[in-house]
Amino acid sequence: MIPFRPELSDYPLVFSDEVAEAIASGAPIVALESNVITHGLPYPHNAATARKVEQAVRDGGAVPATIGIEDGSILVGMTDEDIERFASTPGIPKVSSRDLPIVLARGGKGATTVASSVAIAELAGIAFFASAGIGGVHRGAQTTMDISSDLIQFTRSKVAVICAGAKSILDLGLTMEFLETHCVPLVTYGCDEFPAFYCRTSGIPSPHRIDDERSIARAVDAHWSLGGRGSFLIATPIAQQDAIDNEEVDTVIAHATAAAEREGVRGNALTKYLMRAVDQATEGRAALANASVLISTAALAGRLATAHTRLYSEDLFAGTDPWDGQR
Ligand code: PSU
Ligand code: MN
């Protein structure tokens, strides 16, 4: 492990050699969460999928940086052995943004959600992050107030987040309203509607569709150049052949939501409970769909991070670099 960026030495960041080298050379990097490894899929499918996700980022021209917590440190970039250890160790707790300082102080392992991974990516200077599905406003949030910390973190961290939309276990309409109210830019890639994770459509129109990587990279850059403080969301739909029928998903989720209510499942246990219930009801097709979107969002993120890095070497700042000749 190479200790990198001494100005960040207050943060217990431990970079993998590969990620440290990528940061030093300005190579494109895509951060990835570990909660999907520990809580999303069963072993050994989780380890195999995590490796395919890393490969998809590489195929897009970028370096993957899977994030997790271990022994009071934040891992930024996991080796194959790290991934195997996280995937096969039972009981690693889910760590969202607010849990992060406590788990770090206490020691032990932690699996980072979208929210905490995005916060860490920003600390590490990584501009792109990929995850299959973001958290959002839960159904019934009008009374439960269950709104994922993922959304709040998007208002705080300057990271571009690539996802396949959000699952219809959530209230997608309210999730979109939240993002609009909080000025979080959102574009869709390859679809006219906000995608719904297992399904290519949700009935909710996309505010902006852009189908080429370079234009999206420019929009991301413009957001931050204009002083935007938060994240930039890019949503792309599941591949047609892996998608599940909308009606089937709606029925299954309605049953799962009712069961969760009866059993009193709430708080940070709800998302995993609902995902498992949907997997069981679809006899594993949902888990396959989950793996499919993890890989496809990582592939797009790799290409976008690469396109973003290229902006700086191409025309955007050509001849206008204020540091020209001073470095
Ligand atoms: N949505 C998914 N798959 C997931 C999650 C959400 O489709 O694995 C996980 C992610 O780690 C996300 C977290 O950040 O759940 C959100 O949990 P909550 O709803 O408790 O904020
Ligand atoms: Mn919640």
Side-chain angles (χ1 to χ4, degrees), residues 107-326:
K109 287 188 180 56
T112 54
T113 64
V114 171
S116 56
S117 302
V118 162
I120 292 164
E122 187 184 38
L123 283 178
I126 299 173
F128 284 79
F129 167 82
S131 169
I134 56 169
V137 180
H138 279 266
R139 294 180 181 201
Q142 295 90 331
T143 50
T144 63
M145 288 189 64
D146 191 348
I147 299 175
S148 175
S149 303
D150 293 357
L151 297 187
I152 312 299
Q153 196 66 50
F154 295 157
T155 69
R156 300 181 180 178
S157 297
K158 283 164 75 166
V159 175
V161 174
I162 295 85
C163 64
K167 282 189 182 138
S168 33
I169 58 170
L170 302 166
D171 187 321
L172 296 184
L174 291 185
T175 300
M176 289 292 270
E177 291 296 344
F178 184 101
L179 292 170
E180 182 182 348
T181 297
H182 290 274
C183 318
V184 180
L186 168 69
V187 303
T188 54
Y189 176 97
C191 55
D192 293 314
E193 290 184 11
F194 186 60
F197 195 93
Y198 304 119
C199 311
R200 291 177 61 85
T201 56
S202 65
I204 299 165
S206 163
H208 305 280
R209 171 176 178 165
I210 308 181
D211 282 356
D212 87 279
E213 287 79 351
R214 190 165 181 282
S215 299
I216 295 177
R218 289 190 70 115
V220 168
D221 194 72
H223 175 50
W224 294 327
S225 298
L226 292 167
R229 281 179 307 174
S231 302
F232 190 116
L233 247 58
I234 301 112
T236 191
I238 185 169
Q240 188 84 57
Q241 70 270 18
D242 299 321
I244 306 179
D245 181 64
N246 289 59
E247 269 179 36
E248 181 184 359
V249 170
D250 282 348
T251 309
V252 164
I253 285 173
H255 282 126
T257 306
E261 227 175 282
R262 273 198 312 276
E263 292 172 32
V265 181
R266 59 179 78 160
N268 75 349
L270 182 62
T271 296
K272 185 178 180 185
Y273 176 94
L274 291 175
M275 283 164 39
R276 279 287 144 86
V278 174
D279 283 349
Q280 277 164 13
T282 57
E283 288 159 346
R285 273 179 298 134
L288 286 179
N290 199 339
S292 166
V293 284
L294 276 167
I295 294 164
S296 58
T297 52
L300 177 60
R303 301 201 304 276
L304 287 172
T306 303
H308 187 255
T309 301
R310 275 198 195 129
L311 288 182
Y312 293 83
S313 55
E314 282 176 9
D315 53 322
L316 195 62
F317 296 132
T320 63
D321 184 348
W323 298 96
D324 244 354
Q326 292 183 40

Side-chain angles (χ1 to χ4, degrees), residues 47 50-51 54 58 78-86:
R51 291 194 184 99
E54 292 216 331
R58 290 182 206 285
M78 289 196 192
T79 62
D80 247 22
E81 298 78 58
D82 294 331
I83 287 176
E84 184 66 25
R85 203 166 56 253
F86 271 74

